[in-house]
Each structure stands twice: as structure tokens, then as C-alpha cells.
Amino acid sequence: MNDVQEKDKFWIYVAGLVLAVVATVVMIKSGEHDKFESTAKAIAEDPANSAYRK
């Protein structure tokens, strides 16, 4: 018998999946940041534009 046992690559796949998910979340978060920039400028010019009033 010539039983050659292959190494289990389960944890390599799990690590790759985790890295892919983290990279996707970071990319989405950085893309969302620019979306609200114009709103922040409008509120800075006239605070009455804000829905959050004191």
C-alpha cells in the first residue's frame, strides 16, 4: 500500500475567505465615505439644512 496523505487545506481556505470578506467590507466603507461629503458641506454652510437640530 502506498497511502500518501494530503495536507488538509481547510484553514487556508478559511483564511482566504476571511481576507476576501474583510477586503470587500473595507472597499464598501471607503466608497460610502464620499457619498455624504456634499451633505456635510451643505450643513457646514447653513446649519438649518441639518435634520439634527439642537
Side-chain angles (χ1 to χ4, degrees), residues 13-41:
Y13 295 140
V14 169
L17 181 64
V18 168
L19 287 175
V21 169
V22 168
T24 303
V25 169
V26 168
M27 288 172 54
I28 290 172
K29 284 252 184 212
S30 67
E32 294 284 319
H33 178 70
D34 297 334
K35 184 189 291 187
F36 302 107
E37 193 170 327
S38 62
T39 305
K41 285 181 184 177

